[in-house]
Amino acid sequence: MNGKKWFTTGADGASFAIVMAITDPGAGNYQKASMIIVPTNNPGFKRVRNTPIMGESGQGHDSHSEINYDNCKVPVENIIGKEGEGFYLAQQRLGPGRVHHCMRWIGTAERALDMMCKRAAGRSLGADTLLAHKQTVQNWIAESRASIDACRLMVLNAAHMLETVGSKTARNDISAIKFYVANMLQEVLDKAIQVHGAYGLTDDCILSHWYRHERAARIYDGPDEVHKSSLARQILKNYGVNKK
Ligand SMILES: Cc1cc2nc3c(=O)[nH]c(=O)nc-3n(C[C@H](O)[C@H](O)[C@H](O)COP(=O)(O)OP(=O)(O)OC[C@H]3O[C@@H](n4cnc5c(N)ncnc54)[C@H](O)[C@@H]3O)c2cc1C
């Protein structure tokens, strides 16, 4: 293997990487690629750096490496499954992976809402007035509560569909939660930071870390626009609109 790969999450400290590469350019679209295990101590596997994201290089599982594959050779048995099954395996992993992302984002949003409430309840504006007495803050708390609960039910439903009808049939549910929950998280984090004022922007407050870190949620494992387009195309099939 020869090539350059950006954004290999968790390569720092990993003992192997899984490379998805085209192994048969002449095969059909979904049979061209294979997944191949590459030990990170292979002389041809060169981790260049942890690419800094929003000011943080990260480390260990919380990092995204740039890798050079430089005449990297591995035995044929390092192919996962059979040659040409890369796309199939990716599809098997991506559905549950996206559900997992959403579950983690809901947990983060839940913590951000808890912090928002504690701050609102503890911050005095003088004259017996708390931040929690302000209607705008009350709106943010109520909206965040409703959004998190709605997302939790959507994710539960998508996980149920995945389990009962499989990733192909559940793809619309997965696409919907992937962009919807990622955006919910950003809205809740933004409100939580606003309630914390300047402190919310500092590195002393975990909200700023989440805000930087989770901006990527709308991009990795498929950007919002790709999931929205995929979902809309599936819906529009019912109205006689075919793929362009
Ligand atoms: C933190 C992080 C971790 C990552 N970890 C990994 C990893 O471990 N392994 C790995 O292989 N990759 C990883 N990635 C890469 C990630 O999967 C890609 O960044 C993502 O798929 C988008 O591809 P791209 O960056 O090339 O953007 P592009 O494809 O260039 O897209 C740029 C923008 O164009 C728009 N766009 C793109 N396609 C369409 C479309 N069809 N319709 C409408 N609009 C569109 C979207 O707004 C998109 O944000 C990671 C990325 C990030 C940010």
Side-chain angles (χ1 to χ4, degrees):
M1 279 167 271
N2 281 297
K4 185 186 184 76
K5 176 77 180 91
W6 247 26
F7 287 99
T8 300
T9 297
D12 182 5
S15 52
F16 67 90
I18 298 175
V19 175
M20 180 146 158
I22 290 179
T23 45
D24 185 359
N29 275 348
Y30 301 120
Q31 285 83 39
K32 286 184 205 290
S34 303
M35 285 200 185
I36 304 163
I37 294 178
V38 178
T40 51
N41 62 4
N42 185 302
F45 180 96
K46 294 186 178 141
R47 198 168 60 82
V48 180
R49 59 172 181 158
N50 291 341
T51 312
I53 296 178
M54 298 271 191
E56 287 177 18
S57 299
Q59 56 182 345
H61 77 277
D62 196 11
S63 64
H64 312 283
S65 294
E66 180 183 334
I67 314 285
N68 279 345
Y69 293 86
D70 189 6
N71 288 325
C72 186
K73 291 183 186 174
V74 294
V76 168
E77 59 262 28
N78 282 27
I79 286 184
I80 303 176
K82 296 195 190 94
E83 186 179 343
E85 281 188 347
F87 185 83
Y88 166 77
L89 291 169
Q91 288 307 312
Q92 294 301 308
R93 186 206 75 84
L94 283 169
R98 287 168 181 150
V99 171
H100 180 265
H101 285 318
C102 290
M103 290 161 66
R104 202 180 63 250
W105 297 335
I106 286 171
T108 305
E110 197 70 70
R111 277 190 66 192
L113 173 58
D114 183 50
M115 289 175 71
M116 202 191 313
C117 294
K118 284 180 176 147
R119 165 80 181 187
R123 176 71 166 157
S124 166
L125 302 179
D128 289 337
T129 306
L130 296 172
L131 209 45
H133 291 135
K134 296 291 176 190
Q135 192 176 25
T136 300
V137 174
Q138 292 169 353
N139 284 345
W140 289 342
I141 289 169
E143 286 162 8
S144 300
R145 180 71 273 150
S147 300
I148 296 170
D149 289 348
C151 284
R152 180 174 282 119
L153 288 175
M154 280 177 79
V155 172
L156 266 173
N157 178 59
H160 174 71
M161 294 294 285
L162 195 59
E163 200 168 63
T164 51
V165 297
S167 55
K168 197 167 176 198
T169 312
R171 61 192 265 194
N172 289 356
D173 303 283
I174 306 282
S175 277
I177 60 168
K178 170 64 181 54
F179 70 79
Y180 203 79
V181 182
N183 281 273
M184 175 281 288
L185 174 60
Q186 277 176 12
E187 282 166 26
V188 172
L189 285 175
D190 189 69
K191 286 169 180 154
I193 287 176
Q194 197 69 15
V195 171
H196 281 74
Y199 171 60
L201 295 174
T202 67
D203 286 352
D204 293 348
C205 179
I206 194 160
L207 290 169
S208 68
H209 169 78
W210 287 332
Y211 191 76
R212 286 194 304 278
H213 194 80
E214 300 301 0
R215 178 60 183 82
R218 290 181 49 213
I219 294 180
Y220 61 67
D221 268 9
D224 285 1
E225 295 71 26
V226 172
H227 285 290
K228 287 180 186 177
S229 173
S230 161
L231 176 58
R233 276 190 277 117
Q234 292 300 320
I235 295 168
L236 287 168
K237 272 186 190 169
N238 300 325
Y239 294 82
V241 180
N242 291 318
K243 194 173 176 180
K244 198 176 162 199

